[in-house]
Structure formats: C-alpha cells, structure tokens
Amino acid sequence: MDEEPQEIATQWQIRTLAHAYQKREPTRYVVEGYLSEGSLNILYGPPAAMKSMLLADLCACVVAGSDWLPGTSGNGRGIKTNQAPVFWVDMDNGTRRTDERIDAVSRAHKLPEDAPFNYVSMPMPPLNVADLDMMIYLKGVIRELGAKLTIIDNLGLITGEIEENSAAMAMVMGYLRQIAEGTGTAMVVIHHQRKGGANGGRAGDA
C-alpha cells in the first residue's frame, strides 16, 4: 500500500523559513581559506605528484595545530590550521608504506605518540562507498574519532564496480557529502589521473 504524503514527510527532515532565518555560526575552517568543516573536497593530479605525501604533511600540521607549508602565504608564514584529530583511510599504498609515511611526517613535526593522528590501511572488508551500510559504518568511525580532517586514498579504489564517469557516481559523491556534513569533517578524497595517452587514458582526464 502506498504511504500517505504525511507519513512520507515525517521520514524526511522538512525545513522551513524558520530554519533559513536562524542565525548561523561563521564557517569554521580546518585549514584556513581552503578546507572548511563539513566539506567534501577532491585532490586530483597525475601519478607521482606527491599528493599523498602532501596531505600526510597537512594531517601532521592539523594534529599539531601548526602552519602548513611555511613561507607560502602572503605574510611570510604558512597556511593556518586549527588543531584537530585526523583520520586517514589508505586503500592504495599498503600498511608498511603508510606506516613509514606517517612515521616520517609525524616525527618531522615532533608529534607525541598519543597525538590524534588515526589511520587504517587496506581494511577488510574494504571501503566501498556504493555500499550504504559501509557508509554508515564510516560515518560512525569518523564520529567516534572526532576527526575534523578525513583523507581517503583513493577514489578509484573505493567505488566498487561503479564507473567513474557514470551517473551512479553522483550517488557516491552524495553519500560522501552527507558523511562530511553529518560529522563536521573536512573530507579530502585523492583522485589519481590514470596513466595513458595524451588525455590520461579516460575522457574525464581532459
């Protein structure tokens, strides 16, 4: 039997102008001017462009609450970060390489052993963003860790059988955005350009 419209409406969180007119807090940033809390972001580039290493260094800076990339801002300092726990999901490099990379950046920033730099490498079952139950689990982990910066490496390995240029990818990105907004984390998904011809081997690379 079809549900009555009133019953359907109670399942959705219907908002009104009363919500729209409420005073909102200013946007809070994890990385000032770049990554705001509750946002979904993609870092895209060719292989061997140091994307993962760059973000690992960013994670260490956020955990420490120190400026990122010193000397790159207009005031001669780095990019301001706001101290917070981070969470890294590695589906690409493997446990040994991920251990070594996080070890290197954390020691360079003199982080203590109990600093909230949390990560998982090649988890089983693997992360599949097309699986709603897995997305609910990921959301719970991020909340439990209190992570305000979450890195996922990489997009091509978490989409299951979904083609990157298919309409189903919109659903995948929608799941990730809901998690980011629901947990308040700044989520960064690494996306690698494929090796190949002039356009990188796929239409999307153009």
Side-chain angles (χ1 to χ4, degrees), residues 90 93-103 119 121:
D90 165 58
N93 292 295
T95 303
R96 181 182 177 87
R97 183 178 295 180
T98 302
D99 283 344
E100 291 174 345
R101 181 169 291 165
I102 292 177
D103 177 19
Y119 62 99
S121 181

Side-chain angles (χ1 to χ4, degrees), residues 5-205:
Q6 295 89 342
E7 295 176 346
I8 296 174
T10 59
Q11 296 177 29
W12 288 6
Q13 295 183 4
I14 305 299
R15 300 177 72 82
T16 69
L17 285 180
H19 296 94
Y21 290 163
Q22 286 180 354
K23 183 177 180 180
R24 287 173 289 279
E25 295 293 326
T27 299
R28 294 169 57 90
Y29 283 89
V30 179
V31 182
E32 290 294 330
Y34 290 91
L35 300 177
S36 61
E37 292 185 9
S39 65
L40 175 62
N41 313 270
I42 292 183
L43 178 62
Y44 174 77
M50 304 293 288
K51 298 183 295 299
S52 298
M53 198 66 193
L54 188 69
L55 288 178
D57 184 65
L58 172 61
C59 285
C61 289
V62 169
V63 171
S66 59
D67 289 349
W68 183 46
L69 303 177
T72 58
S73 64
N75 59 12
R77 299 177 55 190
I79 301 168
K80 185 180 184 300
T81 71
N82 291 304
Q83 190 172 26
V86 306
F87 181 42
W88 186 289
V89 180
D90 165 58
M91 297 296 299
D92 192 12
N93 292 295
T95 303
R96 181 182 177 87
R97 183 178 295 180
T98 302
D99 283 344
E100 291 174 345
R101 181 169 291 165
I102 292 177
D103 177 19
V105 297
S106 298
R107 289 182 188 275
H109 289 278
K110 298 180 172 56
L111 297 180
E113 190 174 281
D114 60 350
F117 194 148
N118 305 286
Y119 62 99
V120 63
S121 181
M122 313 301 285
M124 291 299 292
L127 178 61
N128 179 358
V129 293
D131 183 334
L132 181 57
D133 288 337
M134 179 62 73
M135 290 298 91
I136 293 172
Y137 177 75
L138 175 63
K139 185 176 183 179
V141 172
I142 293 171
R143 278 182 169 167
E144 183 176 342
L145 296 174
K148 292 302 178 184
L149 176 61
T150 300
I151 311 295
I152 299 179
D153 189 7
N154 65 63
L155 181 63
L157 297 173
I158 64 171
T159 54
E161 298 180 357
I162 294 177
E163 289 292 330
E164 292 174 20
N165 295 316
S166 71
M169 277 300 294
M171 177 189 68
V172 166
M173 302 310 290
Y175 283 165
L176 292 176
R177 184 174 298 279
Q178 288 176 8
I179 291 173
E181 293 186 355
T183 61
T185 196
M187 182 177 291
V188 182
V189 182
I190 299 174
H191 187 28
H192 298 303
Q193 182 185 59
R194 286 182 184 169
K195 299 176 183 178
N199 289 329
R202 62 183 169 193
D205 286 339

